[in-house]
Amino acid sequence: MTGTKPFEALSVETLPKRLGENAALSERIGKDASRWTVREVGDGNLNLVFIVEGDKGAAVVKQALPYVRLVGDSWPLPLKRSFFEYHALTRQERRAPGSVPAIYHFDEGQALIVMEYLSPHVILRRALIDGRELPNIARDIGLFMARTLFRGSDLSMVTKERKADLALFADNVELCDITENLVFSDPYFDAEMNRHTSPQLDGVVAELRADRDLKVEAQRLKHLFAANAETLLHGDLHSGSIMVTDTETRMIDPEFAFYGPIAFDVGMLLANFWMAFFSQRGHEEKGSRDSMRAYLLKVTAETWAIFRAEFSQLWRTERTGMLYHRSLFEDQGDRLAAEQALDHVLSGIWTDLLGFAGIEVHRRILGLAHNADFETIADENLRATCEARALRFGRHIAVNRRQIHSIDEVNNLAALIEQESTI
Ligand code: SR1
Ligand code: MG
């Protein structure tokens, strides 16, 4: 799978010549590379993404660059993230079949993955901005998270295999470093690459940076993220890492994969639904997003319910790892003790996911990597109003997470804050 040539970034012009002999690609899309059409469509922060179409079909070629695309070559980033993405995708497909794009080819030296072209799928974030109420996302994403996070942990895996895998992904250092800085620290001080809607949010930003309880909580969460190698995470599970149609949902882009706390993926994902909720006001004409707002809160509740139900089911039927071993519980006829332990584990995930969610909301409004939900609101005053509400919400759920006991409580709070009138 690994070529021997030095790395060279592909371009629309060079791709057919360089990959024309690639059997995996030409078998899928047609052998005559002179007839291929190539578009570069990458709109993420890091990589090149090409859609290549031939006589027989289409495929995606994703290539890592040796730097952060969003910033440029002043910020080098290793190509090995493509290796981690490839290996994460293969594990996710095994643990949650049908939930990720099919992989046709991986070239480690060129840091490129040839994979299934998902069409007519669109990025979930885009669909939510457009006000589309997708019927299956809560179920599909809830199942994906429960299956990948449970089956990648010591609740399920043979411990020797899990430890070997943990060692493999431990080398994804630079991508973890991005999260450690951009998510958990930068929003709370005057970091160089931060930006926010200014001057409208200046006062709120100053308050948050002076908020002792919030900063301590953010660092406790960073500690958890760095030290609790619980399961193989997607690592960047936001609504820009999910592609959808009305009936299908696929998770993409797990280049940030590493072993971390189960609650991180779940919290990051739910945060993106809550941000979609707070941004709707910026995309609406005369109450036209009332139904979308109700839909988004319903999606958060359903995603968490599906996650819980599937995780519980796997706990009862697939708990083959070294943790909470059956010999201590069911094998002694004590099913209730296993249920008690399950409640304990789920309640820990719940408390921590609220923290991760609150912090994720903050970094998307105050840090380097903003999201289109808010960024596409052209009226800056309106955008700032939406963002200020989301920041308040994020602060509340991060700091008070141990006192919040249900998703309805969180959604009621979101609905209340969304109605507040001032920054
Ligand atoms: C410099 S990378 C910024 C962000 O883009 C990725 O999608 C991750 O979310 C990362 O934090
Ligand atoms: Mg990404």
Side-chain angles (χ1 to χ4, degrees):
M1 284 203 178
T2 306
T4 50
K5 292 191 181 141
F7 172 83
E8 192 186 332
L10 291 162
S11 69
V12 168
E13 292 73 30
T14 61
L15 189 147
K17 191 162 178 317
R18 288 186 54 203
L19 296 184
E21 302 290 307
N22 183 291
L25 183 56
S26 60
E27 269 160 29
R28 292 274 157 190
I29 72 169
K31 293 196 188 321
D32 185 354
S34 70
R35 295 175 59 81
W36 292 359
T37 58
V38 185
R39 283 176 290 145
E40 205 280 309
V41 297
D43 64 352
N45 295 329
L46 300 179
N47 308 298
L48 295 171
V49 181
F50 300 92
I51 296 172
V52 193
E53 290 177 87
D55 292 336
K56 264 176 77 180
V60 162
V61 176
K62 177 172 179 183
Q63 187 179 38
L65 289 165
Y67 53 83
V68 174
R69 183 177 184 170
L70 173 69
V71 175
D73 54 15
S74 61
W75 187 347
L77 199 62
L79 298 171
K80 66 185 178 190
R81 63 186 188 272
S82 180
F83 170 91
F84 296 116
E85 175 163 355
Y86 166 72
H87 283 286
L89 284 167
T90 60
R91 284 151 183 74
Q92 289 167 348
E93 176 57 30
R94 212 163 54 226
R95 291 169 187 158
S99 61
V100 299
I103 304 298
Y104 304 144
H105 177 75
F106 171 53
D107 181 335
E108 188 177 345
Q110 296 303 314
L112 69 83
I113 305 174
V114 182
M115 65 183 110
E116 184 181 4
Y117 171 48
L118 299 172
S119 175
H121 301 63
V122 296
I123 292 288
L124 172 59
R125 191 185 302 288
R126 191 67 257 166
L128 299 179
I129 292 169
D130 290 345
R132 277 178 64 186
E133 297 180 24
L134 298 145
N136 295 339
I137 55 172
R139 185 200 64 198
D140 294 346
I141 303 170
L143 291 179
F144 171 80
M145 293 193 299
R147 289 172 182 170
T148 55
L149 299 173
F150 185 93
R151 291 176 173 154
S153 77
D154 263 328
L155 294 168
S156 162
M157 286 180 78
V158 173
T159 186
K160 189 169 180 203
E161 286 168 18
R162 200 192 79 89
K163 285 187 167 67
D165 215 43
L166 173 71
L168 182 86
F169 280 92
D171 192 31
N172 203 3
V173 180
E174 293 78 4
L175 283 269
C176 287
D177 181 71
I178 289 180
T179 305
E180 286 150 10
N181 290 314
L182 261 52
V183 176
F184 294 102
S185 291
D186 287 7
Y188 306 108
F189 75 102
D190 186 19
E192 200 185 330
M193 289 180 297
N194 282 352
R195 64 189 172 84
H196 63 260
T197 307
S198 179
Q200 292 87 341
L201 291 184
D202 290 356
V204 183
V205 171
E207 258 174 51
L208 293 178
R209 284 188 192 155
D211 189 327
R212 188 183 295 159
D213 291 342
L214 176 61
K215 286 190 292 185
V216 169
E217 209 50 60
Q219 291 314 291
R220 290 179 75 180
L221 289 157
K222 183 174 182 176
H223 188 166
L224 193 60
F225 175 83
N228 186 6
E230 201 175 18
T231 192
L232 182 64
L233 298 176
H234 178 286
D236 197 25
L237 192 59
H238 53 77
S239 50
S241 299
I242 298 173
M243 298 197 70
V244 291
T245 67
D246 280 337
T247 53
E248 252 221 345
T249 312
R250 304 278 194 103
M251 303 346 122
I252 62 170
D253 272 5
E255 66 201 315
F256 283 76
F258 86 111
Y259 276 79
I262 291 173
F264 182 75
D265 273 1
V266 189
M268 187 172 263
L269 188 269
L270 292 184
N272 278 265
F273 288 147
W274 280 313
M275 282 187 278
F277 169 82
F278 282 106
S279 71
Q280 291 299 312
R281 193 70 63 188
H283 304 294
E284 95 178 319
E285 279 158 29
K286 297 194 200 107
S288 60
R289 296 295 178 104
D290 287 348
S291 149
M292 188 64 191
R293 271 187 287 273
Y295 161 81
L296 283 163
L297 295 187
K298 190 159 93 63
V299 164
T300 62
E302 282 179 9
T303 305
W304 173 239
I306 300 274
F307 172 86
R308 277 181 64 103
E310 182 69 3
F311 192 94
S312 303
Q313 172 69 6
L314 296 172
W315 177 278
R316 290 168 195 138
T317 57
E318 288 189 20
R319 212 173 70 253
T320 51
M322 58 104 161
L323 290 181
Y324 303 95
H325 203 268
R326 305 180 80 83
S327 53
L328 302 170
F329 305 121
E330 291 93 334
D331 293 355
Q332 296 179 19
D334 196 355
R335 203 184 55 78
L336 285 182
E339 292 297 304
Q340 183 178 325
L342 168 63
D343 279 351
H344 184 73
V345 169
L346 282 171
S347 128
I349 295 172
W350 166 252
T351 303
D352 294 340
L353 83 81
L354 290 177
F356 290 125
I359 300 307
E360 165 71 359
V361 170
H362 287 174
R363 75 94 171 212
R364 291 291 185 187
I365 297 171
L366 307 177
L368 165 74
H370 286 223
N371 63 29
D373 310 56
F374 296 116
E375 291 294 285
T376 53
I377 303 172
D379 177 334
E380 290 190 0
N381 291 329
L382 181 54
R383 188 200 313 152
T385 301
C386 296
E387 290 175 327
R389 290 170 180 160
L391 290 172
R392 248 194 317 279
F393 170 79
R395 193 263 174 206
H396 185 92
I397 62 173
V399 170
N400 300 298
R401 63 201 175 96
R402 290 172 199 80
Q403 286 80 50
I404 301 175
H405 299 294
S406 75
I407 192 105
D408 288 345
E409 206 180 324
V410 183
N411 283 338
N412 288 340
L413 174 79
L416 259 179
I417 292 180
E418 210 282 326
Q419 294 294 326
E420 287 175 2
S421 55
T422 55
I423 288 190

